[in-house]
Amino acid sequence: MPLTDTEHRALLDWIDLSARLRKNVHAAKQTELLEQLRGLAAEHKANAERIAALEATRTAESERATALETDVAARGATIERMESRLASGEGLTSRDLVALQGDIETAKTARETVEEDQLTSLGTVEEQDAEIRDLRQEGAAIAARGKDLQAERKARAEELAAEAAELEAERAGTAEKLPTDIRQRLSAKETAGQIGAAVLAHGTCGACGDELSGVARDALSGSEPGTVVECDSCETLLVTPLG
């Protein structure tokens, strides 16, 4: 199936444009960027889960601190009553006074222990608040990065779509220079998701990489430049490069 010089050049141009279109389709998937977005989504989810866990722990610790504060206040009120009774001494024997003084000291020691526990609990709450603030800032940074990547993805998609439209238009114009039967053959192959035509280099199919059979080689031997043959393996139309 020989082609004229113009048709030969047109088919080679069609092959080149088709390769660029396939590259465009692959680029349009934006695989690497999507992986980055998935990674950020996973980070954001993990961050949110960590915040939720910390908030639950912080709430429990805050409630504990409040309960300890109530306990300290109650112990303080009890101590005040005992000290008032000690100060008045009304109805108390010397032994009662000594015992009451001992009770007051014991109550104060117990209150100090609870106060220390309360301070520790409040300190824990403050640390948790700080960690939650840091995590929220980290989450905001992750979200901002995700927003930037989404914008980048959209811009890139628009760029690639415009490029694809230009390539498609140029390829369609190139196809008009080809014989009708070849044009229909290429269209059918492309519709089926296959490579329509490829360059034959050193006896190897540019589509599947298999070597041409002896029969096909004989068909090309001594044939005119621009002769088209079919790959025995993938049935792609093959044409030799110019020159």
Side-chain angles (χ1 to χ4, degrees):
M1 187 187 301
L3 300 176
T4 65
D5 184 61
T6 298
E7 292 169 342
H8 188 183
R9 292 177 182 276
L11 183 54
L12 289 173
D13 287 342
W14 189 95
I15 291 170
D16 176 64
L17 290 166
S18 296
R20 289 164 64 186
L21 270 169
R22 288 193 294 273
K23 184 177 179 180
N24 176 282
V25 169
H26 177 74
K29 295 177 182 178
Q30 301 193 60
T31 305
E32 183 177 344
L33 195 148
L34 280 174
E35 285 301 317
Q36 292 182 49
L37 283 170
R38 291 191 186 99
L40 285 175
E43 285 184 42
H44 196 271
K45 180 181 178 181
N47 180 275
E49 290 174 349
R50 177 60 178 153
I51 289 174
L54 268 174
E55 285 180 335
T57 303
R58 189 261 182 209
T59 297
E61 193 64 44
S62 179
E63 291 174 351
R64 180 171 179 272
T66 299
L68 289 170
E69 181 180 12
T70 301
D71 189 11
V72 168
R75 290 175 185 274
T78 299
I79 291 170
E80 286 180 3
R81 288 195 297 271
M82 288 192 294
E83 287 179 333
S84 295
R85 186 183 177 193
L86 179 66
S88 69
E90 185 177 348
L92 298 175
T93 64
S94 298
R95 181 176 296 178
D96 291 335
L97 291 173
V98 171
L100 184 56
Q101 286 178 333
D103 291 341
I104 291 173
E105 291 302 317
T106 299
K108 286 182 176 181
T109 299
R111 183 180 62 178
E112 288 175 0
T113 299
V114 177
E115 285 175 336
E116 289 176 2
D117 196 7
Q118 179 195 9
L119 289 175
T120 299
S121 183
L122 289 172
T124 299
V125 171
E126 289 180 0
E127 291 174 358
Q128 290 169 335
D129 283 339
E131 189 173 356
I132 290 172
R133 283 195 300 272
D134 290 343
L135 286 171
R136 289 192 184 281
Q137 290 177 355
E138 183 180 340
I142 293 171
R145 177 57 179 154
K147 186 176 180 180
D148 289 343
L149 285 180
Q150 288 285 13
E152 180 184 336
R153 182 189 178 199
K154 181 181 178 182
R156 181 58 176 157
E158 292 173 351
E159 177 186 339
L160 289 168
E163 179 184 272
E166 291 179 4
L167 289 170
E168 286 283 10
E170 188 176 353
R171 189 173 70 159
T174 300
E176 290 298 322
K177 302 175 184 178
L178 297 172
T180 301
D181 57 340
I182 289 183
R183 187 165 63 247
Q184 291 174 342
R185 172 70 179 273
L186 295 177
S187 177
K189 293 280 283 185
E190 291 285 313
T191 300
Q194 301 170 349
I195 296 177
V199 175
L200 176 66
H202 307 294
T204 301
C205 174
C208 68
D210 284 357
E211 290 187 4
L212 218 57
S213 68
V215 175
R217 287 175 183 272
D218 290 342
L220 284 174
S221 179
S223 63
E224 298 179 17
T227 296
V228 177
V229 296
E230 185 179 276
C231 176
D232 301 288
S233 299
C234 64
E235 299 181 345
T236 297
L237 292 180
L238 301 175
V239 65
T240 57
L242 289 171

